[in-house]
Amino acid sequence: MKILIVEDNRELAETLVHYFKQEGYLCETAYNYQTAEEKVHLYEYDVIVLDITLPDGSGLEILKQLKQKRPDAGVLIISAKDALDDKLNGLNLGADDYLTKPFHLAELNARIQSLLRRKRFNGSHEITVGDLRLNTVTAQVLVKGQEIILTRKEYELLLYFLSNRNRILNKEAIAEHLWGDNIDMADSFDFIYTHIKNLRKKIASHGSTNNIKSVYGMGYKFVAE
């Protein structure tokens, strides 16, 4: 899953990035309002961890703009402000949760996991499509009850497809979601084909149907029948 951390305290932001990378997330950071505003307009994230007190603007304004563009975006506010009015303002603008500083990293992670389950998987940590089952807690993938071993990128790719069932995803969107904004430096996205081919092969080797369809000239789609 891809997270944007909007936090002006660089030490805290770096601590969060280090922790969440160990948890298997892809993390990006924005240390000020301007950078955060640019990122939420250019890229999509599964969850945005948002400090509402930034040196050059209000995180609430970013939240407002984000919800106008993507009403389904997951946002968790972290703030030193513990006043009821601040919490109500954030939640009324569309934030999914509000956590007061200081906090335990494990609690923040648990809240993000809960938010993702609500947003993407109807509150469950398991996704089942036909004879394929994926557990987002254990990162285990089963086909017809047998576990298949995927690389980290193959697992993230499959999870991205399952999170966007029956939607066409182009190569640029897939690459940006899995590798972050550093992908802008790539000369081409041909390597996406290799990852998809390997994922298809591993799923098919266990006798499952190929649900990942190529859509000519547009990209790929995971067809959930």
Side-chain angles (χ1 to χ4, degrees), residues 43-93:
Y43 307 110
E44 290 190 7
Y45 301 91
D46 295 294
V47 174
I48 296 174
V49 177
L50 177 66
D51 185 359
I52 58 176
T53 307
L54 300 171
D56 54 342
S58 169
L60 292 177
E61 181 59 33
I62 291 174
L63 173 60
K64 189 185 301 183
Q65 293 180 33
L66 177 65
K67 287 297 181 176
Q68 289 173 350
K69 181 186 177 187
R70 286 187 56 221
D72 62 336
V75 179
L76 190 153
I77 291 175
I78 53 173
S79 176
K81 295 184 176 182
D82 194 25
L84 179 60
D85 286 346
D86 293 314
K87 291 183 178 180
L88 292 177
N89 284 338
L91 295 172
N92 286 335
L93 284 172

Side-chain angles (χ1 to χ4, degrees), residues 53-215:
T53 307
L54 300 171
D56 54 342
S58 169
L60 292 177
E61 181 59 33
I62 291 174
L63 173 60
K64 189 185 301 183
Q65 293 180 33
L66 177 65
K67 287 297 181 176
Q68 289 173 350
K69 181 186 177 187
R70 286 187 56 221
D72 62 336
V75 179
L76 190 153
I77 291 175
I78 53 173
S79 176
K81 295 184 176 182
D82 194 25
L84 179 60
D85 286 346
D86 293 314
K87 291 183 178 180
L88 292 177
N89 284 338
L91 295 172
N92 286 335
L93 284 172
D96 298 279
D97 204 347
Y98 192 110
L99 188 59
T100 305
K101 299 176 183 177
F103 50 79
H104 293 287
L105 295 177
E107 180 182 3
L108 176 59
N109 187 32
R111 292 189 182 219
I112 288 175
Q113 295 259 4
S114 176
L115 192 163
L116 287 169
R117 288 195 299 270
R118 293 197 308 270
K119 288 284 184 181
R120 298 282 186 173
F121 313 124
N122 299 318
S124 174
H125 64 267
E126 283 198 349
I127 313 159
T128 302
V129 178
D131 50 23
L132 187 151
R133 187 164 78 249
L134 183 149
N135 187 306
T136 60
V137 174
T138 63
Q140 185 181 44
V141 178
L142 302 176
V143 173
K144 295 185 175 180
Q146 293 186 321
E147 184 176 7
I148 60 173
I149 306 302
L150 303 179
T151 67
R152 177 174 173 178
K153 287 303 179 188
E154 288 167 354
Y155 170 80
E156 291 173 352
L157 178 61
L158 178 59
L159 182 57
Y160 188 45
F161 274 125
L162 292 174
S163 301
N164 295 276
R165 295 187 290 278
N166 298 316
R167 286 181 56 192
I168 296 174
L169 303 172
N170 61 37
K171 290 181 180 179
E172 291 83 355
I174 295 170
E176 186 270 318
H177 187 87
L178 297 184
W179 281 271
D181 51 11
N182 290 329
I183 201 64
D184 291 342
M185 296 180 289
D187 295 327
S188 74
F189 301 107
D190 292 342
F191 59 90
I192 295 296
Y193 170 75
T194 302
H195 284 285
I196 291 176
K197 181 180 71 173
N198 291 339
L199 179 59
R200 282 170 165 166
K201 185 177 180 179
K202 288 184 179 181
I203 293 174
S205 69
H206 286 69
S208 181
T209 305
N210 173 30
N211 294 89
I212 303 172
K213 307 295 184 182
S214 299
V215 183

